[in-house]
Amino acid sequence: QVQLVESGGGLVQAGGSLTLSCAASGSIESISTMGWYRQAPGKQRELVAHITSGDRTSYADSVKGRFTISRDNAKNTVYLQMNSLKPEDTAVYYCNAFVLNLRRIWGDYWGQGIQVTVSS
């Protein structure tokens, strides 16, 4: 089994910063792409950013220049540094990882989600 656990969410004022972390653990052989998604109330889940095993990154237009995704492969952890936060960034943020387990089977895994609230 593979588990993803997010941390670092909370309440912040507009213009502030937060850093989310997501640690993968369990029967992991290797991890390919890792990413962050978010879902605001009444809206569909959307991709925020993702990073490949070769550290290639991609961002949603709405967060470009404000958010930075990074990863520590030794710790099986992905980070999302969020700066200049806006009220419209308020959402539940989900970590995602494409993992090769010890049985050599690829699987798509999700964290439980963490709330980020930006007050105006």
Side-chain angles (χ1 to χ4, degrees), residues 44-110:
Q44 289 189 333
R45 190 175 297 188
E46 62 175 358
L47 175 66
V48 176
H50 68 81
I51 183 167
T52 69
S53 56
D55 288 337
R56 292 176 62 183
T57 59
S58 178
Y59 297 91
D61 287 343
S62 58
V63 307
K64 281 181 181 176
R66 300 189 297 121
F67 291 10
T68 302
I69 190 170
S70 61
R71 63 192 285 173
D72 183 333
N73 293 324
K75 296 181 179 180
N76 289 334
T77 298
V78 63
Y79 305 95
L80 186 68
Q81 173 68 44
M82 304 184 292
N83 298 326
S84 302
L85 282 161
K86 304 176 181 180
E88 50 263 44
D89 295 317
T90 295
V92 177
Y93 283 70
Y94 296 90
C95 174
N96 172 260
F98 197 49
V99 178
L100 180 67
N101 67 21
L102 296 179
R103 293 181 294 169
R104 310 288 292 175
I105 298 172
W106 285 100
D108 196 32
Y109 295 91
W110 292 88

Side-chain angles (χ1 to χ4, degrees), residues 13-27:
Q13 287 189 332
S17 298
L18 281 176
T19 299
L20 303 182
S21 300
C22 172
S25 63
S27 304

